[in-house]
């Protein structure tokens, strides 16, 4: 990674209009890192995710939230995202949580999947799966 690229932060990268592949990869990595740090720093603001993980026999401290978004629905908030475990398994989820309390209402999907892993995919560079593993490895080295 170039020195100029490492000095750019997430907001600067979002402002770049025609991002090159390196910039696209760095932005995606920083967004994943931001998502992971948000959950790691305050898992109590994601009570629905903690409940889903425990329901599936996983510990919130043994993995990373690498993608997450919500859609307001009539029943509450629908949360869609990806969790990667410490043993490198990927899970996509789609859950409904109470808007006010964050309590898990239902799990619409919780599926293990195998994302493509490549550091040099033509046109996109590093794939989502590769970036997520890179982030997981960085977190493991901090422990």
């Amino acid at each position: 990674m170039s020195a100029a690229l490492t000095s750019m932060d997430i907001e600067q990268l979002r402002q770049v209009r025609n991002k090159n592949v390196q910039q696209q990869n760095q932005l995606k990595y920083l967004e994943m890192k931001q998502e992971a740090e948000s959950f790691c720093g305050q898992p109590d603001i994601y009570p629905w995710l903690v409940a889903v993980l425990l329901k599936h026999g996983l510990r919130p401290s043994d993995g990373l939230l690498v993608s997450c978004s919500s859609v307001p629905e009539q029943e509450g908030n629908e949360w869609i995202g990806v969790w990667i475990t410490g043993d490198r398994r990927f899970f996509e989820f789609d859950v409904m949580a109470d808007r006010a309390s964050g309590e898990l209402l239902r799990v619409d999907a919780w599926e293990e999947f195998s994302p493509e892993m490549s550091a040099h995919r033509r046109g996109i560079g590093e794939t989502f799966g590769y970036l997520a593993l890179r982030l997981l490895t960085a977190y493991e080295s901090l422990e």
Side-chain angles (χ1 to χ4, degrees):
M1 200 173 302
S2 71
L5 190 56
T6 57
S7 66
M8 293 183 90
D9 70 10
I10 195 168
E11 291 309 318
Q12 289 172 316
L13 280 168
R14 285 181 177 149
Q15 298 302 315
V16 175
R17 281 186 174 266
N18 296 312
K19 296 171 194 63
N20 64 35
V21 170
Q22 282 183 312
Q23 290 168 325
Q24 291 171 37
N25 289 165
Q26 184 64 13
L27 178 58
K28 188 65 182 169
Y29 179 86
L30 290 173
E31 288 171 342
M32 285 181 180
K33 184 178 178 196
Q34 188 175 55
E35 204 67 66
E37 287 173 350
S38 176
F39 179 76
C40 290
Q42 294 182 299
D44 54 319
I45 64 172
Y46 298 86
W48 55 269
L49 180 54
V50 172
V52 170
L53 293 171
L54 295 174
K55 178 178 178 148
H56 290 92
L58 299 171
R59 292 187 331 260
S61 61
D62 187 28
L64 293 176
L65 178 63
V66 292
S67 172
C68 189
S69 61
S70 71
V71 177
E73 296 286 344
Q74 223 172 1
E75 297 174 63
N77 284 331
E78 179 180 18
W79 293 91
I80 301 162
V82 176
W83 178 264
I84 181 174
T85 65
D87 61 358
R88 292 157 171 66
R89 293 182 298 149
F90 287 79
F91 292 93
E92 286 181 307
F93 60 81
D94 183 343
V95 303
M96 184 65 67
D98 182 83
R99 190 172 288 110
S101 69
E103 178 185 335
L104 179 65
L105 299 175
R106 71 172 189 272
V107 178
D108 293 326
W110 176 266
E111 298 175 10
E112 187 169 356
F113 73 104
S114 298
E116 182 179 350
M117 299 288 173
S118 177
H120 305 288
R121 177 136 184 255
R122 186 181 174 130
I124 65 165
E126 298 172 330
T127 61
F128 174 86
Y130 185 87
L131 289 167
L133 284 180
R134 220 176 88 199
L135 182 61
L136 183 65
T137 301
Y139 267 79
E140 289 171 342
S141 68
L142 296 175
E143 294 175 350

